[in-house]
Amino acid sequence: MTPTPRPIRTIPDAFVHETTEREGAAGAAWLAELPGIVAELLDRWSCVPDGEVTHGAVGLIVPVRQRGDGVEGEAAVLKVSFPHPGNVHEPDAFAVWRGRGAVRLYERDDERFAMLLERASSVTLAESRAGAGAGTANGNRTANGNGSGSGSGNGSGTANDTGTGSRVSDALATVAGRLSRRLAVPAPPGLPRLADQAATWEAELRRDDAELAHSLPRRTVDAALATVHELARTQPDLMLHGDFHARNILRAEREPWLAVDPKGCAGDPAYDGGSLLKARVPALLDAPDLGRAVHRLLDVYAEAAELDRERVRRWSQLHAVQAAFWGRRHGFRLTRARSAHADAGTDPLVRAAEHLAQLLTD
């Protein structure tokens, strides 16, 4: 007998606030429909809620168990995301990987922007000090939706580059690099190609350089533009995560670490290395020598991912310049959350992005 699903009791207040603040009336209307959407999907996919409802930046995460014929089944999560073009190809990426380095996709409803996914723990690579897998996950909460979107300035832990902190950073880069290597499989037709964004990236860099009061030297901006011309316009047809950072890598049981929240796109795998490094920088700011810490992370990641170190450096430099300009124009969400009157000119994350961009300029 198929179980009668219990309705979700509450949607987390933080998710309601963030969604309405970001999406306005459209977000409020979607939130009003969300309990009904979840109930419909639980019924259709024969699931019952099995834990605390959580959320990522754009998706509600409902821990569930699949059941049928009165037998309790596999632990999973129901993820329902706000309908947005950036979320369209997430299930496509999971379908390509089929559990290779990422959580498995069990069911999908593209019209609802919903998926039934393998459940992983809530322990992210950013939070773990277990490094390359020597420890065990602490807790069984689930968080298959930790991504916080582009331009958000995600921190990745608090370890500095001394002693244990350096070893943790090396282990993090090793885990991420090996995972990136596994995800870089041939991409099918129909997925967005990063190469198609090259012209937009160039136009945005030139516009931001001209319009914003920034502190980046001419040679730093020129280096980013050169990367667009020389690397971005022609790229391999390999799967990318697209938002690859340590908070989108979760502890799991089937494999030590699994990726979540992919954008689902194709291009140069070294691009994902730039995403990882950009998000890692806040954790390295207390390092005695930031330049040394950054280049060490590049070395370890590139070796583990079996990528050309110079390509990873150049993509990382482009990411840093884009992040610095984003912070100047829009402000980082983390800084805005701390102060409604934050000044981009004094924002430590903007300054960190600009410093990183210069450190990575050859």
Side-chain angles (χ1 to χ4, degrees), residues 152-178:
S152 60
N154 302 306
S156 296
T158 58
N160 62 31
D161 193 49
T162 60
T164 300
S166 180
R167 292 191 295 273
V168 169
S169 189
D170 282 2
L172 181 149
T174 299
V175 169
R178 290 173 178 169

Side-chain angles (χ1 to χ4, degrees), residues 80-96:
V80 186
S81 296
F82 179 80
H84 186 276
N87 303 329
V88 168
H89 294 287
E90 182 178 2
D92 296 328
F94 287 132
V96 171

Side-chain angles (χ1 to χ4, degrees), residues 5 18 25 31 38 69 98 143 181 191-192 197 257 310 348-349 351 353:
E18 292 167 10
L31 287 167
V38 170
D69 297 325
R98 294 185 296 177
R181 187 177 71 220
L191 288 181
Q197 298 186 43
W257 300 99
E310 179 65 4
L349 293 179
R351 296 200 305 271

Side-chain angles (χ1 to χ4, degrees), residues 174-199:
T174 299
V175 169
R178 290 173 178 169
L179 197 60
S180 172
R181 187 177 71 220
R182 299 192 65 211
L183 298 177
V185 298
L191 288 181
R193 265 53 185 175
L194 278 187
D196 294 339
Q197 298 186 43

Side-chain angles (χ1 to χ4, degrees), residues 221-232 314:
V221 177
D222 286 346
L225 287 166
T227 295
V228 173
H229 280 281
E230 296 165 18
L231 299 186
R314 293 188 67 183

Side-chain angles (χ1 to χ4, degrees), residues 19-311:
T19 302
T20 52
E21 184 178 75
R22 185 183 64 247
E23 306 295 345
W30 176 74
L31 287 167
E33 297 177 357
L34 188 53
I37 293 172
V38 170
E40 174 195 328
L41 294 169
L42 290 173
D43 184 36
R44 187 197 311 170
W45 292 336
S46 299
C47 295
V48 291
D50 182 47
E52 180 183 355
V53 176
T54 60
H55 64 94
V58 298
L60 190 74
I61 312 296
V62 184
V64 300
R65 284 201 175 269
Q66 299 173 277
R67 298 183 66 181
D69 297 325
V71 178
E72 185 175 274
E74 203 165 354
V77 294
L78 171 62
K79 179 178 180 181
V80 186
S81 296
F82 179 80
H84 186 276
N87 303 329
V88 168
H89 294 287
E90 182 178 2
D92 296 328
F94 287 132
V96 171
W97 289 323
R98 294 185 296 177
R100 177 189 171 99
V103 296
R104 285 173 172 154
L105 174 69
Y106 298 140
E107 302 282 357
R108 61 190 289 179
D109 182 329
D110 294 353
E111 183 179 354
R112 296 292 200 185
F113 283 71
M115 297 173 290
L116 187 66
L117 298 167
E118 175 183 6
R119 190 189 302 188
S121 89
S122 66
V123 178
T124 73
L125 182 59
E127 298 160 337
S128 174
R129 302 181 72 87
T136 58
N138 299 317
N140 295 314
R141 293 171 296 131
T142 188
N144 289 25
N146 292 290
S148 35
S150 60
S152 60
N154 302 306
S156 296
T158 58
N160 62 31
D161 193 49
T162 60
T164 300
S166 180
R167 292 191 295 273
V168 169
S169 189
D170 282 2
L172 181 149
T174 299
V175 169
R178 290 173 178 169
L179 197 60
S180 172
R181 187 177 71 220
R182 299 192 65 211
L183 298 177
V185 298
L191 288 181
R193 265 53 185 175
L194 278 187
D196 294 339
Q197 298 186 43
T200 300
W201 288 345
E202 179 178 357
E204 289 175 346
L205 286 170
R206 295 190 183 281
R207 181 199 66 196
D208 289 344
D209 180 35
E211 295 178 1
L212 299 176
H214 63 83
S215 64
L216 294 175
R218 178 77 262 150
R219 65 187 295 269
T220 299
V221 177
D222 286 346
L225 287 166
T227 295
V228 173
H229 280 281
E230 296 165 18
L231 299 186
R233 295 185 182 279
T234 303
Q235 300 185 46
D237 277 334
L238 295 174
M239 287 295 300
L240 300 183
H241 185 284
D243 190 20
F244 195 62
H245 56 77
R247 295 192 182 278
N248 277 343
I249 300 172
L250 302 184
R251 265 294 196 184
E253 294 183 2
R254 179 172 57 83
E255 296 184 13
W257 300 99
L258 293 173
V260 298
D261 289 356
K263 294 299 181 185
C265 52
D268 186 347
Y271 173 91
D272 274 348
S275 298
L276 180 84
L277 178 58
K278 176 185 69 175
R280 181 68 183 160
V281 166
L284 301 177
L285 290 180
D286 292 333
D289 185 335
L290 179 60
R292 179 180 178 182
V294 165
H295 285 284
R296 172 66 183 175
L297 189 148
L298 274 178
D299 291 340
V300 175
Y301 178 84
E303 180 178 359
E306 298 182 6
L307 294 170
D308 178 68
R309 196 254 192 208
E310 179 65 4
R311 293 182 76 89

